[in-house]
Amino acid sequence: IQALVTGWLKDAIVSNSLVADELLHHIYRLLSNPATLLHDPALHRVVHSLMKTTFLRLLSELQRLGCLIVYASFHKVTVATNKLELSGAEEYIQFVMETVKKQIGEGDALAKVSLRPRQFHSNFLFLDEYNFGTMQLERIDNSDHDTNDLIVFSDGEDGLVQASVVTAWSIMNYLGSEIAQEYFRAIIAKFSKDVVIAQMELAS
């Protein structure tokens, strides 16, 4: 297996093979799924142990740089930046990622970890991955928004930022009907929007 994976890595880097790159991205699934021919319980345990060690090292580096970790899994790490503006949060995350890359060597396992900021949030209420509410922030063009339905505000010289409600609360699954679920969602959305609007008024 090691020789096979090494061959895939060589093909992906040297020959720029898309097939080899795709196989490398799915190597853990191929080892852990009993339905695949590469499945090996002992090898799966070894690979999982290495992934866990690397993952804990990454979290340790983030904490050492001052990040407050809200939630972390092999697929996603959520940190609190304590920045009030989107531009400040973006600069902070960029600084953290660049610092982590500079402090690890080429042969280090952390050098193979890819970090990419995917989403930025404000007023993030978090219990677990199934219970959270937030205002997701996205940059938009001047012509791409409707102020009647969305909260849009300026972020300095970087243009406009759109804040939209994103919620997921498991209690909604126990409500009696879809109407009740939608009513619950609307109440939570209004609460989140009112907090953001009040913050904007205080900042202006």
Side-chain angles (χ1 to χ4, degrees):
I1 295 294
Q2 183 177 359
L4 178 63
V5 174
T6 303
W8 289 347
L9 184 60
K10 181 179 179 181
D11 290 341
I13 296 176
V14 178
S15 305
N16 198 25
S17 172
L18 296 178
V19 175
D21 185 65
E22 192 70 16
L23 288 170
L24 288 171
H25 278 86
H26 293 277
I27 184 63
Y28 181 74
R29 181 179 61 82
L30 295 173
L31 292 175
S32 60
N33 189 350
T36 64
L37 297 177
L38 289 180
H39 174 66
D40 184 337
L43 188 58
H44 174 218
R45 285 194 297 270
V46 172
V47 172
H48 186 273
S49 177
L50 293 173
M51 290 173 59
K52 184 177 179 180
T53 301
T54 304
F55 177 66
L56 292 177
R57 280 193 58 205
L58 173 63
L59 296 185
S60 177
E61 282 292 321
L62 294 177
Q63 288 179 322
R64 191 176 64 81
L65 292 172
C67 290
L68 175 61
I69 298 175
V70 178
Y71 171 78
S73 68
F74 283 160
H75 308 290
K76 178 173 64 175
V77 178
T78 303
V79 300
T81 65
N82 296 324
K83 305 296 181 181
L84 298 179
E85 296 182 351
L86 178 58
S87 57
E90 290 173 334
E91 291 176 2
Y92 177 80
I93 292 299
Q94 190 64 33
F95 165 77
V96 168
M97 293 191 302
E98 290 177 355
T99 304
V100 170
K101 290 180 180 179
K102 289 179 180 178
Q103 294 181 350
I104 57 180
E106 289 293 333
D108 197 302
L110 279 180
K112 307 297 182 183
V113 177
S114 176
L115 296 175
R116 290 184 300 169
R118 300 293 299 271
Q119 297 176 347
F120 289 88
H121 301 267
S122 176
N123 302 88
F124 195 25
L125 301 176
F126 184 86
L127 177 62
D128 54 40
E129 58 183 321
Y130 305 108
N131 294 277
F132 63 88
T134 179
M135 298 295 292
Q136 183 173 328
L137 305 180
E138 297 177 296
R139 294 197 180 281
I140 59 173
D141 295 328
N142 292 349
S143 59
D144 291 345
H145 70 91
D146 182 358
T147 55
N148 293 325
D149 299 326
L150 302 169
I151 299 177
V152 179
F153 55 92
S154 176
D155 189 29
E157 299 179 356
D158 297 321
L160 297 179
V161 176
Q162 169 185 303
S164 54
V165 178
V166 178
T167 61
W169 301 99
S170 60
I171 191 174
M172 287 194 299
N173 299 326
Y174 300 96
L175 298 179
S177 65
E178 292 185 2
I179 296 178
Q181 293 179 7
E182 189 60 33
Y183 186 63
F184 176 87
R185 189 179 292 108
I187 292 175
I188 296 297
K190 186 179 187 306
F191 170 77
S192 300
K193 288 181 179 180
D194 288 347
V195 172
V196 173
I197 292 173
Q199 288 181 337
M200 292 169 58
E201 292 176 348
L202 290 174
S204 60

